[in-house]
Amino acid sequence: MDIKTYLARFNWDEVKERIYAVNTEDVKVVLCKKKLSVDDFLVLLSPAAACFLEEMALMSQHITQNRFGKNIQLFMPLYLSNECQNICTYCGFSLDNKIKRKTLSHGEIVIEALTLKKMGIDHVLLVTGEANSTVHIDYFLKAIALLKSYFNTISIEVQPLEEEEYKLLYEAGVYSVLVYQETYHREVYKKYHLKGKKTNFDYRLATSDRIGRARIHKIGVGVLLGLEDWRVDSFYNALHIDYLQKMYWQSKYAVSFPRLRPAEGEFVPNFILSDSNLLQLICAYRIWNPELDISISTRESELFRNHVVSLGATTMSAASKTNPGGYAVDLQSLEQFEISDERSVEDFVAMITAKGYECVVKDWDTIYKGVKQ
Ligand code: SF4
């Protein structure tokens, strides 16, 4: 079975009806369970479960500390390019935006790397737009070869690639690959993705299978929160994770929560996710799936991030720049989105430490799992 067939068993409207029909008794039953199914996750996403947020937060904290200890893995995004051949109506890098395009040269990649290294960073997430003619597999392989001597862990968030290309990334030492479906609602997806390869919903959906078959160690998935009803989209995302865990059990899984905000650019999200909604979502994921890596970016506010450190997060970025060359080479190039938490790495680490947590710079999994160094 492939992911398309797996998800086709579910009807969007029926899922939505089920979520909104959950009552407090259903939530109490799920909160007493030792092992949860995806259907239980659906219950924890419901408006009815919002009344149990405090209880859910305590459970999430307990489960996370049991599984991961009091540790937060630190990473920083390294934007290599803002070139993109797609039109996505919500993104600053969209092809129809008349902005100065930039792709870092090899020399510039090294300058950015040295700057991050000086900040004590050992895990980078390479990010680009989706421009196959300039940022392609050869460009990525060269960038990884350059960066390997500076960083212990390299993750990548670029356009969907072919299985053979993911195998090359694996061979090159890439630890994790992130690809977000944005929304699992096919018709709504069409409204936001107007031009380019990304218009192909099914090709994007099947990407995580290609990543899994290439035996990448960690696979990151997620939805862009704000395009559609976050509860239904998140249920589909959990189905996706459930499917992947069964098919590619040797890989680890991560979920991120890119949240659209009304203040960002001119794009107005269709659905607003409040801070307490987002916390409920994070706790629901953790209670359902204790093994999941839960990643929180600097899109979120200082206050929210301070709280979530001890309530389910396992991986966080700090002092991020979302423009190519943003750390040293070209401070003014266009950002993909505005960050909210602007603290320095030192200030972020100090906050983590003050909470009794440790900021882990090195991901030991890369060594235990034999990722090529
Ligand atoms: S979301 Fe990604 S694919 Fe879409 S315009 Fe932005 S960079 Fe390009």
Side-chain angles (χ1 to χ4, degrees):
M1 184 186 294
D2 61 11
I3 183 62
K4 186 179 171 189
T5 318
Y6 189 78
L7 293 186
R9 297 179 305 153
F10 297 84
N11 172 281
W12 185 279
D13 293 333
E14 284 170 18
V15 168
K16 190 170 182 174
E17 226 170 89
R18 280 173 58 202
I19 293 174
Y20 287 86
V22 170
N23 61 42
T24 52
E25 287 311 309
D26 300 329
V27 181
K28 284 180 192 166
V29 170
V30 167
L31 290 177
C32 288
K33 287 189 177 179
K34 288 258 179 300
K35 198 168 167 19
L36 275 65
S37 65
V38 194
D39 285 332
D40 296 323
F41 176 74
L42 178 148
V43 169
L44 297 182
L45 286 177
S46 67
C51 310
F52 296 81
L53 187 54
E54 208 174 316
E55 202 173 331
M56 284 174 66
L58 283 172
M59 284 176 76
S60 177
Q61 180 180 59
H62 180 72
I63 294 167
T64 310
Q65 285 182 5
N66 264 353
R67 169 65 185 83
F68 297 91
K70 294 175 97 175
N71 296 306
I72 296 290
Q73 300 273 346
L74 179 65
F75 76 97
M76 273 172 92
L78 175 47
Y79 275 68
L80 301 179
S81 173
N82 62 12
E83 293 191 61
C84 191
Q85 290 160 352
N86 294 321
I87 295 183
C88 304
T89 57
Y90 48 81
C91 177
F93 291 175
S94 186
L95 178 67
D96 56 343
N97 283 346
K98 301 286 169 247
I99 58 162
K100 197 174 137 225
R101 302 289 169 169
K102 179 161 187 67
T103 296
L104 298 189
S105 67
H106 298 156
E108 289 172 332
I109 292 173
V110 171
I111 294 170
E112 291 283 284
L114 286 168
T115 310
L116 293 187
K117 201 68 201 168
K118 272 191 213 143
M119 294 182 197
I121 298 302
D122 210 18
H123 178 182
V124 278
L125 169 66
L126 308 185
V127 188
T128 66
E130 302 192 5
N132 291 301
S133 54
T134 42
V135 282
H136 38 59
I137 187 66
D138 293 340
Y139 178 84
F140 302 139
L141 292 173
K142 181 67 190 169
I144 292 158
L146 288 168
L147 294 167
K148 264 173 82 171
S149 51
Y150 300 99
F151 304 104
N152 172 62
T153 309
I154 298 176
S155 300
I156 192 162
E157 184 183 340
V158 300
Q159 69 270 36
L161 300 170
E162 294 299 324
E163 186 178 330
E164 288 309 311
E165 294 173 319
Y166 286 124
K167 285 182 181 158
L168 292 172
L169 292 181
Y170 171 82
E171 286 297 318
V174 163
Y175 176 58
S176 66
V177 178
L178 287 63
V179 178
Y180 304 138
Q181 188 62 27
E182 319 296 15
T183 174
Y184 287 86
H185 192 302
R186 232 168 236 281
E187 295 309 311
V188 169
Y189 183 94
K190 278 188 204 156
K191 269 176 41 193
Y192 292 110
H193 304 101
L194 303 181
K195 190 173 176 186
K197 253 189 133 172
K198 197 168 175 178
T199 53
N200 190 336
F201 181 95
D202 288 325
Y203 181 73
R204 195 170 187 89
L205 188 63
T207 304
S208 46
D209 278 289
R210 300 193 293 278
I211 302 170
R213 286 195 296 268
R215 301 177 71 87
I216 295 284
H217 298 278
K218 195 193 291 185
I219 303 174
V221 295
V223 293
L224 190 52
L225 298 163
L227 296 185
E228 240 302 325
D229 185 317
W230 63 270
R231 293 186 163 95
V232 188
D233 246 340
S234 299
F235 177 70
Y236 274 82
N237 192 55
L239 287 171
H240 197 164
I241 294 170
D242 196 45
Y243 161 85
L244 291 170
Q245 282 184 318
K246 286 173 184 146
M247 291 292 291
Y248 312 104
W249 52 268
Q250 62 278 63
S251 294
K252 286 175 65 177
Y253 292 90
V255 64
S256 307
F257 307 88
R259 170 163 63 150
L260 287 166
R261 289 165 174 279
E264 279 174 9
E266 287 169 11
F267 181 80
V268 181
N270 256 351
F271 294 83
I272 306 292
L273 191 77
S274 68
D275 280 0
S276 71
N277 292 154
L278 182 54
L279 182 60
Q280 181 186 348
L281 180 58
I282 290 167
C283 296
Y285 269 112
R286 172 58 69 228
I287 297 167
W288 163 58
N289 197 326
E291 298 295 315
L292 265 190
D293 189 9
I294 288 186
S295 180
I296 310 292
S297 80
T298 52
R299 269 183 199 255
E300 298 307 328
S301 69
E302 220 178 289
L303 186 67
F304 185 84
R305 278 162 47 93
N306 289 357
H307 281 106
V308 90
V309 163
S310 57
L311 299 179
T314 48
T315 306
M316 295 176 86
S317 51
S320 306
K321 299 291 179 198
T322 65
N323 49 329
Y327 298 108
V329 168
D330 186 354
L331 307 188
Q332 301 308 322
S333 67
L334 184 98
E335 296 170 319
Q336 189 183 31
F337 57 87
E338 272 179 38
I339 64 163
S340 180
D341 183 351
E342 296 186 334
R343 276 175 291 189
S344 66
V345 172
E346 295 81 45
D347 289 348
F348 178 74
V349 173
M351 178 274 289
I352 299 275
T353 312
K355 285 182 170 290
Y357 276 67
E358 193 177 343
C359 212
V360 181
V361 175
K362 201 177 185 77
D363 190 338
W364 293 99
D365 267 5
T366 55
I367 292 160
Y368 296 140
K369 295 194 82 174
V371 175
K372 292 182 168 53
Q373 301 289 312

